[in-house]
mmCIF file of all heavy atoms in Angstrom:
data_model
loop_
_atom_site.group_PDB
_atom_site.id
_atom_site.type_symbol
_atom_site.label_atom_id
_atom_site.label_comp_id
_atom_site.label_asym_id
_atom_site.label_seq_id
_atom_site.Cartn_x
_atom_site.Cartn_y
_atom_site.Cartn_z
ATOM 1 N N LEU A 352 3.682 -8.765 21.439
ATOM 2 C CA LEU A 352 2.716 -9.353 22.230
ATOM 3 C C LEU A 352 2.405 -8.352 23.412
ATOM 4 O O LEU A 352 1.230 -8.192 23.868
ATOM 5 C CB LEU A 352 3.146 -10.610 22.775
ATOM 6 C CG LEU A 352 2.776 -11.947 22.052
ATOM 7 C CD1 LEU A 352 3.341 -13.104 22.906
ATOM 8 C CD2 LEU A 352 1.342 -12.124 22.034
ATOM 9 N N THR A 353 3.442 -7.803 23.990
ATOM 10 C CA THR A 353 3.238 -6.764 25.050
ATOM 11 C C THR A 353 2.344 -5.630 24.661
ATOM 12 O O THR A 353 1.386 -5.199 25.353
ATOM 13 C CB THR A 353 4.503 -6.262 25.585
ATOM 14 O OG1 THR A 353 5.307 -7.343 26.126
ATOM 15 C CG2 THR A 353 4.373 -5.219 26.680
ATOM 16 N N ASP A 354 2.631 -5.117 23.456
ATOM 17 C CA ASP A 354 1.887 -4.055 22.836
ATOM 18 C C ASP A 354 0.390 -4.364 22.563
ATOM 19 O O ASP A 354 -0.478 -3.618 22.791
ATOM 20 C CB ASP A 354 2.502 -3.455 21.677
ATOM 21 C CG ASP A 354 1.974 -2.189 21.144
ATOM 22 O OD1 ASP A 354 1.942 -1.268 21.971
ATOM 23 O OD2 ASP A 354 1.409 -2.031 20.069
ATOM 24 N N THR A 355 0.231 -5.603 22.265
ATOM 25 C CA THR A 355 -1.058 -6.177 21.967
ATOM 26 C C THR A 355 -1.869 -6.182 23.303
ATOM 27 O O THR A 355 -3.068 -5.732 23.281
ATOM 28 C CB THR A 355 -1.033 -7.643 21.422
ATOM 29 O OG1 THR A 355 -0.526 -7.543 20.140
ATOM 30 C CG2 THR A 355 -2.426 -8.281 21.338
ATOM 31 N N LEU A 356 -1.300 -6.614 24.319
ATOM 32 C CA LEU A 356 -1.898 -6.598 25.694
ATOM 33 C C LEU A 356 -2.375 -5.270 26.053
ATOM 34 O O LEU A 356 -3.393 -4.976 26.657
ATOM 35 C CB LEU A 356 -1.024 -7.247 26.757
ATOM 36 C CG LEU A 356 -0.828 -8.834 26.637
ATOM 37 C CD1 LEU A 356 0.258 -9.101 27.602
ATOM 38 C CD2 LEU A 356 -2.096 -9.299 27.281
ATOM 39 N N ARG A 357 -1.480 -4.284 25.870
ATOM 40 C CA ARG A 357 -1.677 -2.945 26.180
ATOM 41 C C ARG A 357 -2.893 -2.264 25.458
ATOM 42 O O ARG A 357 -3.645 -1.607 26.160
ATOM 43 C CB ARG A 357 -0.414 -2.093 25.972
ATOM 44 C CG ARG A 357 -0.492 -0.643 26.469
ATOM 45 C CD ARG A 357 0.817 0.102 26.180
ATOM 46 N NE ARG A 357 1.999 -0.538 26.619
ATOM 47 C CZ ARG A 357 3.047 -1.049 25.858
ATOM 48 N NH1 ARG A 357 2.977 -0.956 24.683
ATOM 49 N NH2 ARG A 357 3.968 -1.700 26.575
ATOM 50 N N HIS A 358 -2.993 -2.560 24.200
ATOM 51 C CA HIS A 358 -4.225 -1.844 23.424
ATOM 52 C C HIS A 358 -5.435 -2.731 23.244
ATOM 53 O O HIS A 358 -6.341 -2.362 22.652
ATOM 54 C CB HIS A 358 -3.697 -1.250 22.252
ATOM 55 C CG HIS A 358 -3.438 -2.188 21.055
ATOM 56 N ND1 HIS A 358 -2.208 -2.659 20.769
ATOM 57 C CD2 HIS A 358 -4.256 -2.804 20.159
ATOM 58 C CE1 HIS A 358 -2.273 -3.514 19.741
ATOM 59 N NE2 HIS A 358 -3.376 -3.605 19.318
ATOM 60 N N ARG A 359 -5.362 -3.979 23.792
ATOM 61 C CA ARG A 359 -6.478 -4.777 23.833
ATOM 62 C C ARG A 359 -7.091 -5.188 25.201
ATOM 63 O O ARG A 359 -7.665 -6.164 25.488
ATOM 64 C CB ARG A 359 -6.238 -6.129 23.069
ATOM 65 C CG ARG A 359 -6.003 -5.917 21.563
ATOM 66 C CD ARG A 359 -5.769 -7.272 20.834
ATOM 67 N NE ARG A 359 -5.425 -7.095 19.422
ATOM 68 C CZ ARG A 359 -4.882 -7.930 18.668
ATOM 69 N NH1 ARG A 359 -4.832 -9.199 19.033
ATOM 70 N NH2 ARG A 359 -4.651 -7.756 17.452
ATOM 71 N N GLY A 360 -6.901 -4.197 26.112
ATOM 72 C CA GLY A 360 -7.423 -4.159 27.375
ATOM 73 C C GLY A 360 -6.930 -5.249 28.408
ATOM 74 O O GLY A 360 -7.498 -5.681 29.091
ATOM 75 N N GLY A 361 -5.681 -5.522 28.154
ATOM 76 C CA GLY A 361 -4.955 -6.349 29.235
ATOM 77 C C GLY A 361 -5.051 -7.805 28.752
ATOM 78 O O GLY A 361 -4.514 -8.637 29.512
ATOM 79 N N LYS A 362 -5.742 -8.194 27.657
ATOM 80 C CA LYS A 362 -5.806 -9.483 27.195
ATOM 81 C C LYS A 362 -5.279 -9.643 25.804
ATOM 82 O O LYS A 362 -5.279 -8.686 25.134
ATOM 83 C CB LYS A 362 -7.267 -10.068 27.164
ATOM 84 C CG LYS A 362 -7.797 -10.200 28.600
ATOM 85 C CD LYS A 362 -9.252 -10.754 28.488
ATOM 86 C CE LYS A 362 -9.889 -11.012 29.948
ATOM 87 N NZ LYS A 362 -11.147 -11.516 29.795
ATOM 88 N N GLN A 363 -4.743 -10.728 25.377
ATOM 89 C CA GLN A 363 -4.248 -10.973 24.071
ATOM 90 C C GLN A 363 -5.214 -10.780 22.925
ATOM 91 O O GLN A 363 -5.108 -10.215 21.948
ATOM 92 C CB GLN A 363 -3.493 -12.397 23.918
ATOM 93 C CG GLN A 363 -2.283 -12.420 24.826
ATOM 94 C CD GLN A 363 -1.651 -13.832 24.721
ATOM 95 O OE1 GLN A 363 -2.335 -14.868 24.144
ATOM 96 N NE2 GLN A 363 -0.438 -14.067 25.115
ATOM 97 N N ARG A 364 -6.441 -11.461 23.128
ATOM 98 C CA ARG A 364 -7.506 -11.405 22.261
ATOM 99 C C ARG A 364 -7.065 -11.707 20.749
ATOM 100 O O ARG A 364 -7.388 -10.928 19.927
ATOM 101 C CB ARG A 364 -8.202 -10.043 22.295
ATOM 102 C CG ARG A 364 -8.742 -9.787 23.703
ATOM 103 C CD ARG A 364 -9.500 -8.400 23.619
ATOM 104 N NE ARG A 364 -9.440 -7.896 25.008
ATOM 105 C CZ ARG A 364 -10.564 -7.980 25.899
ATOM 106 N NH1 ARG A 364 -11.555 -8.803 25.575
ATOM 107 N NH2 ARG A 364 -10.470 -7.389 27.057
ATOM 108 N N ILE A 365 -6.099 -12.668 20.597
ATOM 109 C CA ILE A 365 -5.611 -13.004 19.250
ATOM 110 C C ILE A 365 -6.555 -13.861 18.464
ATOM 111 O O ILE A 365 -6.920 -14.891 18.941
ATOM 112 C CB ILE A 365 -4.345 -13.727 19.411
ATOM 113 C CG1 ILE A 365 -3.291 -13.027 20.201
ATOM 114 C CG2 ILE A 365 -3.753 -14.137 18.150
ATOM 115 C CD1 ILE A 365 -1.990 -13.652 20.574
ATOM 116 N N PRO A 366 -7.104 -13.183 17.325
ATOM 117 C CA PRO A 366 -7.965 -13.956 16.541
ATOM 118 C C PRO A 366 -7.103 -15.027 15.623
ATOM 119 O O PRO A 366 -6.011 -14.773 15.098
ATOM 120 C CB PRO A 366 -8.498 -12.964 15.520
ATOM 121 C CG PRO A 366 -7.683 -11.750 15.634
ATOM 122 C CD PRO A 366 -6.752 -11.910 16.807
ATOM 123 N N LEU A 367 -7.674 -16.334 15.719
ATOM 124 C CA LEU A 367 -7.081 -17.295 14.957
ATOM 125 C C LEU A 367 -8.145 -17.988 14.074
ATOM 126 O O LEU A 367 -9.354 -18.079 14.422
ATOM 127 C CB LEU A 367 -6.522 -18.461 15.842
ATOM 128 C CG LEU A 367 -5.412 -18.075 16.772
ATOM 129 C CD1 LEU A 367 -4.991 -19.377 17.494
ATOM 130 C CD2 LEU A 367 -4.086 -17.608 15.898
ATOM 131 N N PRO A 368 -7.701 -18.413 12.868
ATOM 132 C CA PRO A 368 -8.781 -19.096 12.040
ATOM 133 C C PRO A 368 -9.070 -20.485 12.564
ATOM 134 O O PRO A 368 -8.270 -21.210 13.060
ATOM 135 C CB PRO A 368 -8.033 -19.210 10.723
ATOM 136 C CG PRO A 368 -6.608 -19.077 11.017
ATOM 137 C CD PRO A 368 -6.492 -18.274 12.234
ATOM 138 N N VAL A 369 -10.400 -20.852 12.420
ATOM 139 C CA VAL A 369 -10.774 -22.127 12.752
ATOM 140 C C VAL A 369 -11.282 -22.863 11.397
ATOM 141 O O VAL A 369 -12.239 -22.424 10.800
ATOM 142 C CB VAL A 369 -11.970 -22.219 13.699
ATOM 143 C CG1 VAL A 369 -12.467 -23.635 13.908
ATOM 144 C CG2 VAL A 369 -11.590 -21.467 14.971
ATOM 145 N N GLY A 370 -10.464 -23.765 10.866
ATOM 146 C CA GLY A 370 -10.588 -24.100 9.588
ATOM 147 C C GLY A 370 -10.374 -23.044 8.590
ATOM 148 O O GLY A 370 -9.498 -22.041 8.779
#
Side-chain angles (χ1 to χ4, degrees):
L352 268 181
T353 300
D354 194 51
T355 293
L356 285 168
R357 188 180 301 117
H358 74 263
R359 292 182 187 170
K362 294 184 178 181
Q363 292 178 349
R364 306 180 201 268
I365 299 173
L367 293 180
V369 177

